[in-house]
Amino acid sequence: TSEGRRKSCWYEEEIEQDLRWCYALNSILHTGASQYQDIALLDTRPFGKALVIDGKLQSAEMDEFIYHESLVHPALLHHPNPKTIFIMGGGEGSTAREILRHKNVDKVVMCDIDEQVVDFCKSYLVANREAFCDTRLHITINDARAELERREECFDVIIGDLADPIEGGPCYQLYTKSFYESTVKPRLNEGGIFVTQAGPAGVFSHTEVFSCIYNTLRQVFKYVVPYSAHIPSYADTWGWVMASDSPFKADTEELDARIKQRIKGENRYLDGKTFASASILSKAVRKSLDKETQVYTEGTARFIYGHGTAHKLNHAHA
Amino acid sequence: TSEGRRKSCWYEEEIEQDLRWCYALNSILHTGASQYQDIALLDTRPFGKALVIDGKLQSAEMDEFIYHESLVHPALLHHPNPKTIFIMGGGEGSTAREILRHKNVDKVVMCDIDEQVVDFCKSYLVANREAFCDTRLHITINDARAELERREECFDVIIGDLADPIEGGPCYQLYTKSFYESTVKPRLNEGGIFVTQAGPAGVFSHTEVFSCIYNTLRQVFKYVVPYSAHIPSYADTWGWVMASDSPFKADTEELDARIKQRIKGENRYLDGKTFASASILSKAVRKSLDKETQVYTEGTARFIYGHGTAHKLNHAHA
Amino acid sequence: TSEGRRKSCWYEEEIEQDLRWCYALNSILHTGASQYQDIALLDTRPFGKALVIDGKLQSAEMDEFIYHESLVHPALLHHPNPKTIFIMGGGEGSTAREILRHKNVDKVVMCDIDEQVVDFCKSYLVANREAFCDTRLHITINDARAELERREECFDVIIGDLADPIEGGPCYQLYTKSFYESTVKPRLNEGGIFVTQAGPAGVFSHTEVFSCIYNTLRQVFKYVVPYSAHIPSYADTWGWVMASDSPFKADTEELDARIKQRIKGENRYLDGKTFASASILSKAVRKSLDKETQVYTEGTARFIYGHGTAHKLNHAHA
Amino acid sequence: TSEGRRKSCWYEEEIEQDLRWCYALNSILHTGASQYQDIALLDTRPFGKALVIDGKLQSAEMDEFIYHESLVHPALLHHPNPKTIFIMGGGEGSTAREILRHKNVDKVVMCDIDEQVVDFCKSYLVANREAFCDTRLHITINDARAELERREECFDVIIGDLADPIEGGPCYQLYTKSFYESTVKPRLNEGGIFVTQAGPAGVFSHTEVFSCIYNTLRQVFKYVVPYSAHIPSYADTWGWVMASDSPFKADTEELDARIKQRIKGENRYLDGKTFASASILSKAVRKSLDKETQVYTEGTARFIYGHGTAHKLNHAHA
């Protein structure tokens, strides 16, 4: 009976300084804090349960499948036979969940720096419970760079599920040309693929980080594919960039065939055609990416200490 | 110096009952009212000048080109030689402006029911001033159905730039099967194309009206193409449906060639590839459209008087 | 460490259609619903735990003492020896709690129509737990008018702790001249006092119901004292009216003496001086009350069914 | 016809970090900026035209009379024959306007540091136009301390209409014990009175600055009277403190007689009884003021540069 009544509790997010996105709330389910960040699980009316870190929505029950299917499947499907996967970040568990649906995957290493976030998500995100229990999943609490450098093994696919490269932010150095060259590339097996979330990719918002991540990756890899999808709970189109030194050869039909063959259960968002559409950017964004000249390097990051705190997580995943 | 300060004036829109979208305001430029609706021109910080009708954003300076290029150019470009165009609604003038950029167009009839909206936009929307003065443009103040029935001529392209088909709303009857069959189709020349804005087309929001407009049109026309694009100021992906009894044969290269040949100035958003991407819907939306069974008919509209007022204009153009 | 961060969850109340009052939220502690209304207990940052009924703040932990001390103590202290008290409404328990602090009180009858509200408050409002267990308190679930008419006993003080007299609202008839004359007055012992909450009493807001409640009571009782106090969580000054056929004779010193003698524990807000200040209204409000001519009668209430639902509770207590 | 419709433009003020107060807007009438601050005149629905400086409401058409009558009249009325008045701040003009209503006043010096604010208010605040043209008014653009020290004359009444004493804020030094002792007191004639706005004075908010301003003044003057009034547009009770080395002897009747005799036109808010009520504080605030030990001194102000900017103006008048 109360469904029709005006709600009085709201979650409010400042997408930008001059732009707000507000959801009516049913309840605040859990709150927590780590040494790095505040964590909350909210029950929102428009998007279901929502994981919020430091006042930024990370993932909403109703549409996180768009983000996670888009992050994981294109890279794994383009790879001829992906057996070992490394996730930088990904503490929420949804990226691991999507990877583990691939029957040919033998081993997933998830390396997140924040143990509290991992524990919080393990406890409260019901949709990822099975994934967290999968014996193929190995969780390490560490800085992704340190972990990749420490390990001697290589991976078929490396996935960046990290906060955006904000200068002074916690993840900036995991988006630089030298990191890709000296740390990521050496840890990819022959034919290996790297994919990363790449921030907002809207007609205007793609200039924040998307175009620059794309441009940085094309300095390092021979084949680079940017793609995007609108995520309702983010109030924006989101971007990912996939990169490799081997060409991406699977076409729409081949992708659909591999989905059928390799993936347990059915995708809700991604199939061959969806990827075809996602990887053709609009004229406005395409032109802008072509012209991008900025490259993320350790040098260009003028680390302004303290600066990163407020905007630490910009719609992205730690 | 005040750029960085927290803004204290906001425009707030209820996208849905439980979802709000808020822009910081620089100023409220003009306000007015007609017998049908309230009109305001706001100067917003994130999206520039914005036309708001009855508390619903119609069009924002910064990104209206996405909506209007998507509404107009695919239909006109797929037509071999569009000379005469009829706009249902479109009082804002932006649809006319995009049409008039086509050099082969001889005559545009814009038929809007609200003279005050037309006058308001003529006076205040600087971007459309030239279009409003173009001698090829003929403005009629009338109900679009009555006008089409009254006229004896046919058109190469008919464009629906109307409010969404909300039951009891002002435009419902302009989206019904019988209207398309008895009024629109007879007014199309041989090879003519009909295109209409079709409401929100997001992964969830497409079920509001997009899928049903699509399904209604495929009862009436042989060839029907739904397509969509994310519009930042709407906080959603938007949809359009293009329909004809002649096949749509222009491919990506042909579209680009025709753009070059026919359109004055350069498109910012739409080209061959953009349309290719826009017209491949994601798996989630595609499946849902395929399964849609509802058809808009006069019968299915249970006119609940008064019901339409609040949601009269749902992000669409009267 | 998260104290200084921008909060993202908010409780929002429409004080009037054009005026909003918003608190940052720590959590939503409990929610419930009865046949009459929605109930919620929120943990707000500025005002502590807050009881919200149908989207209207009833009472906030941090400042409910202002409302409840002001409602209860002036009437009980002006009475020479109050032994029996009847509360119309008061389901929250705070009014009973303040009454039960009076050592000379033998019996308190609390008559609230909504059992769910009473149970909710019994369970969750820790500050009232002791009061709810006091054997002098008798709780009846009934309409206050019916209950007063059914009972044969009289009371020393009758307290109105009800929602405002909105036409068509649930409590309108408990504020009418005929109700005061035929139901309340006959149930008061010799020297008995009636006091009621009387809605907003600000420089502008006092015309909503305060002046009219005052004017109605002065048609019925010989001595009528309106008084008011600013309640921060209500974002307004609130009003009460005390009425009797015996004169109110206790001065500031006498009130302070009786507080010392009769009340267990110490008042936080009310003492002799506070009441002196509260019962001298500002020129603006005083003049307006003098000139008030409207009287609440059954006749003036044009019961528009359905009308009362949205505004059922206007900052007042059911 | 649009009166009943949901408004979509709002003015929003952060009263505190966790508390917001929002007014529906009709329009943004004028905006400007000085070297010190941003200035705006808004047309709000609940409170009429409102002057906003740096995102803080200074004064609203509908209820500024409460603030300005309370600031000006008690001091001028308690003085036996006030002829010369000095205003520190007061650029809005409303304080001067109320002073100039006193027939015995010969000369008013208004000293505000911000010429742009003065000019803005002169141009746009219709209610103060007459006052700005009164030949008894002398406007000086200067720091109030420098101006008082520079001048050789003394005044009957000195009025502080300045921003609150926030550490690091622009006005802190105009609230210190040494400023009162060395600058203000020497510039008062025999029997002279000093009065200052003293920030929020609510049951909780009085500890911000009100109690400390009171305590500082009682170190310097023999007779000190704190008083307060609820101002709806501020969403709080506001405080003022009046101080002198001569006793305040006028009682309620005497104040009313002087109002009749000396003041042109009729007060809307303040008369003898209103002041009687305003100067009796509630138990909670009274006790807290009695116990206050902090004194504003140059020493206690740890000037944290930059700190003052955000909270520069805290509901007070520059």
Side-chain angles (χ1 to χ4, degrees):
Chain A
T1 66
S2 69
E3 291 302 301
R5 284 184 199 145
R6 201 174 153 63
K7 293 302 289 184
S8 46
C9 294
W10 291 83
Y11 167 72
E12 177 184 305
E13 180 165 333
E14 297 208 346
I15 298 280
E16 298 167 30
Q17 203 190 352
D18 295 332
L19 195 58
R20 283 191 200 149
W21 191 221
C22 309
Y23 310 159
L25 279 180
N26 286 321
S27 63
I28 299 172
L29 296 167
H30 303 283
T31 56
S34 75
Q35 60 177 120
Y36 304 103
Q37 45 209 354
D38 281 346
I39 318 164
L41 189 66
L42 309 178
D43 184 7
T44 75
R45 287 174 70 91
F47 297 114
K49 282 172 199 160
L51 182 69
V52 173
I53 296 190
D54 278 352
K56 285 278 172 190
L57 178 86
Q58 300 300 303
S59 171
E61 196 181 16
M62 265 182 67
D63 66 7
E64 56 90 358
F65 69 92
I66 305 177
Y67 175 93
H68 292 103
E69 291 189 10
S70 298
L71 173 64
V72 167
H73 301 314
L76 267 73
L77 291 171
H78 276 95
H79 192 282
N81 187 17
K83 299 213 148 305
T84 56
I85 320 288
F86 186 91
I87 312 169
M88 311 193 294
E92 179 187 326
S94 306
T95 298
R97 180 198 66 211
E98 290 302 314
I99 296 167
L100 292 164
R101 291 177 53 215
H102 284 252
K103 297 174 219 155
N104 35 354
V105 165
D106 286 338
K107 179 181 185 182
V108 182
V109 177
M110 177 213 289
C111 175
D112 199 293
I113 205 166
D114 195 332
E115 188 157 22
Q116 268 77 18
V117 164
V118 174
D119 288 348
F120 188 95
C121 295
K122 241 191 223 173
S123 306
Y124 300 125
L125 300 188
V126 179
N128 298 343
R129 250 181 213 167
E130 201 184 331
F132 274 118
C133 296
D134 195 304
T135 54
R136 293 173 292 166
L137 178 65
H138 304 260
I139 301 176
T140 314
I141 303 304
N142 197 2
D143 170 65
R145 175 177 220 144
E147 185 67 19
L148 276 174
E149 283 166 358
R150 191 184 69 78
R151 283 180 177 261
E152 276 157 38
E153 68 202 295
C154 285
F155 297 88
D156 294 325
V157 178
I158 296 178
I159 296 180
D161 189 12
L162 299 155
D164 287 354
I166 305 299
E167 282 185 40
C171 297
Y172 184 89
Q173 59 174 0
L174 302 177
Y175 288 89
T176 59
K177 189 181 164 193
S178 71
F179 172 67
Y180 291 143
E181 244 164 14
S182 318
T183 308
V184 172
K185 229 173 145 170
R187 285 284 162 271
L188 282 175
N189 286 322
E190 178 75 27
I193 298 175
F194 172 68
V195 65
T196 181
Q197 82 84 15
V203 169
F204 308 115
S205 60
H206 72 273
T207 57
E208 290 173 27
V209 300
F210 182 55
S211 60
C212 192
I213 292 173
Y214 165 72
N215 188 47
T216 302
L217 281 166
R218 71 177 168 182
Q219 314 297 315
V220 179
F221 290 94
K222 274 197 210 152
Y223 303 94
V224 180
V225 178
Y227 57 99
S228 69
H230 173 234
I231 302 183
S233 66
Y234 286 8
D236 210 348
T237 286
W238 213 251
W240 301 266
V241 184
M242 193 166 71
S244 181
D245 277 346
S246 305
F248 296 102
K249 283 187 294 197
D251 63 10
T252 300
E253 288 68 36
E254 178 61 23
L255 288 175
D256 283 336
R258 290 183 183 179
I259 285 170
K260 221 170 182 174
Q261 201 175 18
R262 299 184 188 173
I263 300 183
K264 234 177 93 183
E266 204 180 346
N267 285 354
R268 293 177 61 190
Y269 186 72
L270 198 108
D271 65 1
K273 282 189 175 170
T274 303
F275 183 74
S277 175
S279 58
I280 308 174
L281 303 175
S282 75
K283 180 183 176 185
V285 177
R286 211 183 327 124
K287 291 230 154 172
S288 179
L289 259 64
D290 282 351
K291 282 188 278 186
E292 180 62 71
T293 56
Q294 210 196 323
V295 170
Y296 286 130
T297 68
E298 303 284 345
T300 53
R302 301 166 296 279
F303 281 92
I304 302 150
Y305 290 104
H307 175 83
T309 337
H311 303 278
K312 196 153 65 184
L313 289 163
N314 188 354
H315 260 149
H317 301 233
Chain B
T1 66
S2 68
E3 291 303 301
R5 285 188 197 141
R6 200 176 155 60
K7 294 302 288 183
S8 46
C9 294
W10 291 84
Y11 167 72
E12 177 183 303
E13 181 166 333
E14 297 208 345
I15 298 279
E16 298 167 29
Q17 203 192 352
D18 294 331
L19 195 57
R20 283 190 201 151
W21 190 221
C22 309
Y23 310 160
L25 280 179
N26 286 321
S27 62
I28 298 171
L29 297 167
H30 302 285
T31 54
S34 74
Q35 59 176 124
Y36 304 103
Q37 45 208 354
D38 281 346
I39 318 165
L41 188 67
L42 309 178
D43 184 7
T44 76
R45 287 174 72 91
F47 297 112
K49 282 172 199 160
L51 181 69
V52 172
I53 296 192
D54 278 352
K56 286 278 171 189
L57 178 86
Q58 301 300 302
S59 169
E61 196 180 15
M62 267 182 67
D63 66 7
E64 55 91 357
F65 70 90
I66 305 176
Y67 175 93
H68 292 103
E69 292 190 9
S70 298
L71 173 64
V72 166
H73 301 314
L76 268 72
L77 292 171
H78 275 94
H79 191 282
N81 186 18
K83 299 215 150 299
T84 56
I85 321 285
F86 186 91
I87 312 169
M88 310 193 295
E92 179 187 327
S94 306
T95 297
R97 181 197 67 212
E98 290 302 315
I99 295 168
L100 292 163
R101 292 178 54 215
H102 285 254
K103 297 174 219 159
N104 33 357
V105 165
D106 287 337
K107 179 180 183 183
V108 181
V109 176
M110 176 212 289
C111 176
D112 199 294
I113 204 166
D114 194 332
E115 189 156 23
Q116 268 76 21
V117 164
V118 174
D119 288 348
F120 188 95
C121 296
K122 245 192 219 171
S123 306
Y124 300 125
L125 300 188
V126 179
N128 298 344
R129 249 179 215 169
E130 202 183 330
F132 274 117
C133 297
D134 195 304
T135 55
R136 293 174 293 166
L137 178 63
H138 304 262
I139 301 177
T140 314
I141 304 302
N142 198 1
D143 170 65
R145 175 177 221 148
E147 185 67 19
L148 276 174
E149 283 167 359
R150 190 184 70 78
R151 285 182 175 259
E152 275 157 38
E153 70 200 294
C154 285
F155 297 89
D156 294 327
V157 177
I158 296 178
I159 296 181
D161 190 11
L162 298 155
D164 286 355
I166 306 298
E167 282 185 38
C171 298
Y172 184 89
Q173 59 174 1
L174 303 176
Y175 288 90
T176 58
K177 190 180 165 196
S178 73
F179 172 67
Y180 291 142
E181 243 164 12
S182 318
T183 308
V184 171
K185 229 173 146 173
R187 286 283 161 269
L188 282 175
N189 286 320
E190 178 76 30
I193 297 175
F194 172 69
V195 65
T196 181
Q197 81 86 13
V203 170
F204 308 116
S205 59
H206 72 275
T207 57
E208 290 173 27
V209 299
F210 182 56
S211 60
C212 191
I213 293 173
Y214 165 72
N215 188 45
T216 302
L217 281 166
R218 72 176 168 180
Q219 314 297 316
V220 178
F221 290 94
K222 274 198 210 152
Y223 303 93
V224 180
V225 179
Y227 57 99
S228 69
H230 172 234
I231 302 182
S233 67
Y234 286 7
D236 209 348
T237 286
W238 212 252
W240 301 267
V241 184
M242 192 165 71
S244 181
D245 277 346
S246 305
F248 296 101
K249 283 188 291 198
D251 65 9
T252 299
E253 287 69 35
E254 177 62 19
L255 287 175
D256 282 338
R258 292 182 182 181
I259 286 170
K260 222 170 183 173
Q261 203 176 14
R262 300 184 188 173
I263 300 183
K264 235 177 90 183
E266 206 181 343
N267 286 353
R268 294 177 62 190
Y269 186 72
L270 198 107
D271 65 359
K273 281 189 177 171
T274 303
F275 183 73
S277 174
S279 57
I280 308 174
L281 303 176
S282 73
K283 179 183 177 183
V285 177
R286 212 181 328 124
K287 291 230 155 172
S288 179
L289 259 64
D290 283 351
K291 282 188 276 187
E292 180 63 69
T293 58
Q294 211 197 324
V295 171
Y296 286 129
T297 67
E298 302 284 345
T300 54
R302 300 169 295 280
F303 281 91
I304 301 150
Y305 291 103
H307 176 83
T309 337
H311 301 279
K312 195 154 67 185
L313 289 163
N314 189 355
H315 259 146
H317 301 233
Chain C
T1 65
S2 69
E3 290 302 302
R5 285 188 197 142
R6 201 175 155 62
K7 292 303 289 184
S8 46
C9 294
W10 292 84
Y11 166 72
E12 178 184 303
E13 180 166 333
E14 297 208 345
I15 298 279
E16 300 167 28
Q17 203 191 352
D18 294 332
L19 194 58
R20 281 192 202 150
W21 189 223
C22 310
Y23 311 159
L25 279 180
N26 287 321
S27 62
I28 298 170
L29 297 167
H30 303 284
T31 55
S34 74
Q35 60 177 122
Y36 304 103
Q37 44 209 354
D38 281 346
I39 319 165
L41 189 66
L42 309 177
D43 185 7
T44 76
R45 287 173 72 91
F47 297 113
K49 284 172 197 159
L51 181 69
V52 174
I53 297 191
D54 277 352
K56 286 278 169 189
L57 177 86
Q58 302 298 303
S59 169
E61 195 181 14
M62 267 182 67
D63 66 7
E64 55 91 358
F65 70 90
I66 305 177
Y67 175 92
H68 291 103
E69 293 191 8
S70 297
L71 172 65
V72 166
H73 300 315
L76 268 73
L77 292 171
H78 275 94
H79 192 282
N81 188 17
K83 298 214 150 300
T84 56
I85 320 287
F86 186 90
I87 312 169
M88 309 192 297
E92 179 187 326
S94 305
T95 297
R97 179 197 68 213
E98 289 302 315
I99 295 167
L100 292 164
R101 291 176 54 216
H102 285 254
K103 297 174 219 155
N104 33 356
V105 165
D106 287 338
K107 179 180 183 183
V108 181
V109 177
M110 177 213 287
C111 174
D112 200 292
I113 204 166
D114 194 332
E115 189 157 21
Q116 267 77 19
V117 165
V118 174
D119 288 347
F120 187 95
C121 296
K122 243 192 222 172
S123 306
Y124 300 125
L125 300 187
V126 178
N128 298 344
R129 248 180 215 170
E130 202 183 329
F132 273 118
C133 296
D134 196 304
T135 54
R136 293 174 294 167
L137 178 64
H138 305 261
I139 301 177
T140 314
I141 303 304
N142 197 2
D143 170 64
R145 175 177 221 149
E147 185 66 20
L148 276 175
E149 283 166 358
R150 190 184 70 77
R151 281 181 178 260
E152 277 156 37
E153 67 199 299
C154 285
F155 296 89
D156 294 325
V157 178
I158 296 177
I159 296 180
D161 189 11
L162 298 155
D164 287 355
I166 307 298
E167 282 185 38
C171 297
Y172 184 89
Q173 58 173 3
L174 303 176
Y175 287 90
T176 58
K177 190 179 164 196
S178 72
F179 173 67
Y180 291 143
E181 245 165 11
S182 318
T183 308
V184 171
K185 228 171 146 171
R187 284 285 161 270
L188 281 176
N189 287 321
E190 177 77 30
I193 297 175
F194 172 69
V195 65
T196 181
Q197 81 85 14
V203 169
F204 308 117
S205 59
H206 73 273
T207 57
E208 290 173 26
V209 299
F210 182 55
S211 58
C212 192
I213 293 174
Y214 165 71
N215 188 46
T216 302
L217 281 166
R218 72 177 167 180
Q219 313 297 315
V220 178
F221 290 95
K222 274 196 208 152
Y223 303 94
V224 180
V225 179
Y227 57 99
S228 70
H230 173 235
I231 301 182
S233 66
Y234 285 9
D236 209 346
T237 286
W238 213 251
W240 301 266
V241 184
M242 190 165 75
S244 180
D245 277 346
S246 307
F248 295 101
K249 283 188 294 197
D251 64 10
T252 300
E253 288 69 36
E254 178 62 22
L255 288 175
D256 282 337
R258 291 181 183 180
I259 286 170
K260 220 169 183 173
Q261 204 177 13
R262 299 185 189 172
I263 300 182
K264 237 178 90 183
E266 206 181 344
N267 285 354
R268 293 177 62 190
Y269 185 72
L270 198 108
D271 64 2
K273 282 188 176 172
T274 303
F275 181 74
S277 175
S279 57
I280 309 175
L281 303 175
S282 75
K283 180 182 175 184
V285 178
R286 212 183 325 124
K287 291 229 156 171
S288 179
L289 259 65
D290 282 351
K291 282 188 276 185
E292 179 63 71
T293 57
Q294 209 197 326
V295 171
Y296 285 131
T297 66
E298 301 285 344
T300 54
R302 300 168 298 279
F303 281 92
I304 302 149
Y305 291 103
H307 175 83
T309 337
H311 300 279
K312 197 153 68 184
L313 290 163
N314 188 355
H315 258 148
H317 300 233
Chain D
T1 65
S2 69
E3 291 302 303
R5 286 189 196 141
R6 203 176 152 62
K7 294 300 290 184
S8 47
C9 294
W10 292 84
Y11 167 72
E12 177 183 304
E13 180 165 334
E14 297 208 344
I15 299 278
E16 298 167 31
Q17 203 192 352
D18 295 332
L19 194 58
R20 282 190 201 152
W21 191 220
C22 310
Y23 310 160
L25 279 179
N26 287 320
S27 62
I28 298 172
L29 297 167
H30 303 284
T31 55
S34 75
Q35 60 176 120
Y36 304 103
Q37 44 210 354
D38 281 346
I39 318 165
L41 188 66
L42 309 178
D43 184 7
T44 75
R45 287 173 70 92
F47 297 113
K49 283 172 197 160
L51 181 70
V52 173
I53 297 192
D54 278 353
K56 286 278 170 188
L57 177 85
Q58 301 300 303
S59 172
E61 197 181 14
M62 266 183 66
D63 67 6
E64 56 91 358
F65 69 91
I66 306 177
Y67 175 94
H68 292 103
E69 292 190 8
S70 298
L71 173 63
V72 167
H73 301 315
L76 268 74
L77 291 171
H78 276 95
H79 193 282
N81 187 16
K83 298 212 150 303
T84 55
I85 321 288
F86 186 90
I87 312 168
M88 310 193 296
E92 179 188 326
S94 307
T95 297
R97 181 197 65 212
E98 290 302 316
I99 295 168
L100 292 163
R101 290 177 55 214
H102 286 252
K103 298 174 216 157
N104 35 355
V105 165
D106 286 339
K107 181 182 183 180
V108 181
V109 177
M110 178 214 287
C111 176
D112 199 293
I113 204 165
D114 194 333
E115 189 157 21
Q116 268 76 21
V117 164
V118 175
D119 288 348
F120 187 95
C121 296
K122 243 192 222 171
S123 306
Y124 301 126
L125 300 188
V126 179
N128 299 344
R129 251 181 211 168
E130 203 183 330
F132 273 118
C133 295
D134 195 305
T135 54
R136 294 173 292 166
L137 178 64
H138 305 261
I139 301 176
T140 314
I141 303 304
N142 196 2
D143 170 64
R145 174 176 222 148
E147 185 66 19
L148 277 174
E149 283 166 357
R150 190 185 71 77
R151 284 180 176 260
E152 277 156 38
E153 67 200 296
C154 285
F155 296 89
D156 295 324
V157 178
I158 296 178
I159 297 180
D161 188 12
L162 298 154
D164 288 353
I166 306 297
E167 282 184 39
C171 297
Y172 184 89
Q173 59 172 2
L174 302 176
Y175 287 90
T176 59
K177 189 180 165 195
S178 72
F179 172 67
Y180 291 142
E181 244 164 13
S182 318
T183 309
V184 172
K185 227 171 148 174
R187 285 284 162 270
L188 280 176
N189 287 321
E190 177 76 29
I193 298 176
F194 172 69
V195 66
T196 182
Q197 82 85 16
V203 169
F204 308 116
S205 60
H206 73 274
T207 57
E208 289 172 28
V209 299
F210 183 56
S211 60
C212 192
I213 292 173
Y214 165 73
N215 188 47
T216 302
L217 281 166
R218 72 177 169 180
Q219 314 297 313
V220 178
F221 291 94
K222 272 196 210 150
Y223 303 94
V224 181
V225 179
Y227 58 99
S228 69
H230 172 234
I231 301 182
S233 67
Y234 286 7
D236 209 348
T237 285
W238 212 252
W240 301 266
V241 184
M242 191 165 72
S244 181
D245 277 347
S246 305
F248 296 102
K249 282 188 295 197
D251 63 9
T252 300
E253 287 70 34
E254 179 61 21
L255 289 174
D256 282 337
R258 290 181 183 181
I259 285 169
K260 221 169 184 173
Q261 205 177 15
R262 299 183 187 174
I263 300 182
K264 237 179 89 183
E266 207 183 342
N267 286 353
R268 293 177 62 189
Y269 185 72
L270 198 107
D271 64 2
K273 282 188 175 170
T274 303
F275 182 74
S277 174
S279 58
I280 308 175
L281 303 175
S282 74
K283 181 182 175 184
V285 177
R286 211 181 328 124
K287 291 230 154 170
S288 179
L289 259 65
D290 283 350
K291 283 189 276 186
E292 179 63 69
T293 57
Q294 210 196 323
V295 171
Y296 286 131
T297 67
E298 303 284 345
T300 53
R302 301 166 297 279
F303 281 90
I304 301 148
Y305 291 102
H307 174 83
T309 337
H311 302 278
K312 195 153 70 185
L313 287 164
N314 188 354
H315 259 150
H317 300 230

